[in-house]
Amino acid sequence: MNTANPIRKIAERTLICFITILLCLILCELFLRKFFPQLKYDYPPGAFISNLERGYEYKPDYTGTIHSPDYEITFYIDKYGFRNYPNTQSSFTKTSVILGLGDSLTFGKGVRFEETYLSIISQSLNVPVINAAVDGYGLSEELLLLKDKIDLVNPSLILVGLTLENDFDDILRKKRVVQYGVLFEGEDVENLETKNIFVKTLDRIKMFFSLHSDLYHLFKKFVKSNKTFQNILIKLGALIKPREVDDIPLSHRILFSISDDKTNLALKKVDNIVSEFKNISDENKSNLLFVLLPSIVQYNRKLVLSYYNRELCYHIPDTLISIFQKHNVPYLDLSPFFREAFNNDIQFTFQTDKHWNQKGHQIAGEAISLFINQNYSYLVR
């Protein structure tokens, strides 16, 4: 009896500790959801299917809803894998068609289909525009998609939305893959089948928390960087300290004209990809236009000064301009339009996930429409 009592007490205390920790975690989760919502995996499971070359693509004939702290948007993917109006299929019978390629910005994550900058171009110029953008794609995947779809679409103009905020980082990352109906990063397709049951179970648990837990995503932020507290102090204005070069994201390093092994490798890959884009467009007798979608370091001076102790990137780096000039590829830099809007206190991004809101797409759509009207007038009806 004397032996049983200590064991029982240990069991009771262990249970109380477990329940207390669980309740604390639940309270933290509820607190975060209410006051500091985190960016979670926001696509519904099943929105993506596997693609051996590109890693993944949108599921054809699919309707789903993206949930975010800033918005709730229903989107439709037609039978060709392109974003479209609900229950509408893309048409390729007309002679003048613009094919839009890009990532989530060009796809229009967070806004209705008719509010995307590609739709605004279509409405302004009275020309059909195909939205073939896919969330998370980089230049490598966009090139592969172009190879797959160019014979189907036969575009008069290929418009590539190059997101300067992250596309250079994306060009060096591993292929993203679909697993259990959800998009995963950092793994190669061929490695998925070699996983044992324990690892697959852990993946399923990770997927569940990735879909549903704000606390999980906050924890990931702390694990990802040991300078989290320093960054919080910087954002609060309690600390102004220049970041080391290795801590600056690759895309920002290129915009700051910082030369190192990784930036040189990324620019070399961009050079090769732009060359392939040019060759394909020439073979198809299509025009090619790269639209440079601005990074935050090109318009938010206060953030750049506090976070990097640097000045704004007012100009596109010569290393990138030289690539377009080398291959005789025209480009349009949108940063002056967004810098002017930012200086005029126009809110063109969502508060949490920083994608463009309706105003951001309007700024981009109007600027691109004007450029196309002036330089490709034969496309305009």
Side-chain angles (χ1 to χ4, degrees), residues 48-307:
F48 298 101
I49 59 174
S50 295
N51 182 291
L52 288 178
E53 285 192 327
R54 288 177 265 138
Y56 67 98
E57 61 186 347
Y58 286 118
K59 183 179 180 180
D61 274 325
Y62 181 83
T63 301
T65 301
I66 302 174
H67 299 275
S68 165
D70 298 307
Y71 52 78
E72 187 172 298
I73 287 291
T74 298
F75 65 97
Y76 172 69
I77 305 297
D78 67 21
K79 67 180 181 181
Y80 303 106
F82 304 144
R83 187 177 185 186
N84 213 326
Y85 290 102
N87 303 312
T88 305
Q89 302 300 328
S90 300
S91 175
F92 315 111
T93 57
K94 298 178 182 179
T95 53
S96 295
V97 177
I98 298 174
L99 174 63
L101 302 170
D103 59 9
S104 55
L105 273 184
T106 302
F107 177 80
K109 190 174 183 179
V111 298
R112 295 191 297 269
F113 176 74
E114 62 271 19
E115 296 172 337
T116 65
Y117 78 77
L118 290 180
S119 293
I120 292 171
I121 294 170
S122 179
Q123 296 157 16
S124 299
L125 304 180
N126 192 26
V127 173
V129 178
I130 305 299
N131 190 335
V134 179
D135 193 344
Y137 269 20
L139 285 176
S140 302
E141 292 85 4
E142 290 155 18
L143 177 63
L144 292 171
L145 188 150
L146 178 63
K147 292 178 179 179
D148 288 344
K149 304 295 186 181
I150 192 164
D151 290 336
L152 171 68
V153 179
N154 190 27
S156 299
L157 174 64
I158 301 165
L159 188 158
V160 183
L162 178 60
T163 304
L164 297 180
E165 182 63 34
N166 55 30
D167 269 358
F168 298 115
D169 296 86
D170 289 344
I171 207 168
L172 296 183
R173 64 165 165 75
K174 289 185 178 180
K175 188 184 294 182
R176 291 186 174 109
V177 294
V178 177
Q179 193 175 13
Y180 316 122
V182 174
L183 197 61
F184 275 75
E185 296 185 25
E187 293 183 308
D188 295 320
V189 177
E190 58 267 20
N191 291 336
L192 293 180
E193 298 302 322
T194 63
K195 289 186 172 182
N196 58 45
I197 188 67
F198 176 73
V199 176
K200 287 183 178 180
T201 303
L202 288 179
D203 278 348
R204 286 184 179 274
I205 294 172
K206 185 169 67 174
M207 179 195 72
F208 174 82
F209 285 112
S210 179
L211 287 170
H212 303 292
S213 174
D214 288 65
L215 188 59
Y216 168 79
H217 286 276
L218 183 64
F219 176 74
K220 279 181 66 177
K221 289 181 181 178
F222 279 90
V223 171
K224 188 175 181 180
S225 172
N226 59 4
K227 295 190 177 181
T228 303
F229 290 109
Q230 185 183 102
N231 294 339
I232 290 174
L233 291 173
I234 289 173
K235 289 182 180 179
L236 292 174
L239 176 66
I240 298 178
K241 181 179 180 180
R243 305 184 90 202
E244 298 296 329
V245 168
D246 289 343
D247 294 329
I248 301 176
L250 177 63
S251 294
H252 289 181
R253 298 212 300 272
I254 289 176
L255 291 172
F256 286 132
S257 298
I258 297 173
S259 178
D260 56 42
D261 291 343
K262 280 193 174 181
T263 58
N264 293 335
L265 176 60
L267 287 168
K268 184 177 180 180
K269 288 195 173 188
V270 171
D271 190 345
N272 294 334
I273 290 173
V274 171
S275 175
E276 287 199 60
F277 266 109
K278 178 62 174 175
N279 291 337
I280 292 171
S281 62
D282 286 348
E283 289 173 5
N284 194 69
K285 297 181 179 178
S286 303
N287 293 284
L288 177 63
L289 171 65
F290 272 77
V291 178
L292 309 185
L293 313 182
S295 163
I296 195 170
V297 300
Q298 294 178 283
Y299 58 79
N300 191 332
R301 186 172 184 269
K302 182 178 178 181
L303 181 141
V304 174
L305 282 172
S306 65
Y307 209 60

Side-chain angles (χ1 to χ4, degrees), residues 282-347:
D282 286 348
E283 289 173 5
N284 194 69
K285 297 181 179 178
S286 303
N287 293 284
L288 177 63
L289 171 65
F290 272 77
V291 178
L292 309 185
L293 313 182
S295 163
I296 195 170
V297 300
Q298 294 178 283
Y299 58 79
N300 191 332
R301 186 172 184 269
K302 182 178 178 181
L303 181 141
V304 174
L305 282 172
S306 65
Y307 209 60
Y308 295 127
N309 196 26
R310 290 173 178 268
E311 267 297 335
L312 275 181
C313 301
Y314 287 100
H315 306 288
I316 301 300
D318 291 339
T319 49
L320 186 56
I321 292 176
S322 64
I323 292 174
F324 294 127
Q325 291 177 339
K326 173 183 175 182
H327 301 290
N328 195 27
V329 173
Y331 67 92
L332 170 62
D333 175 19
L334 293 184
S335 64
F337 302 95
F338 282 85
R339 193 155 48 241
E340 180 182 3
F342 185 83
N343 291 337
N344 290 328
D345 295 324
I346 296 174
Q347 181 68 37

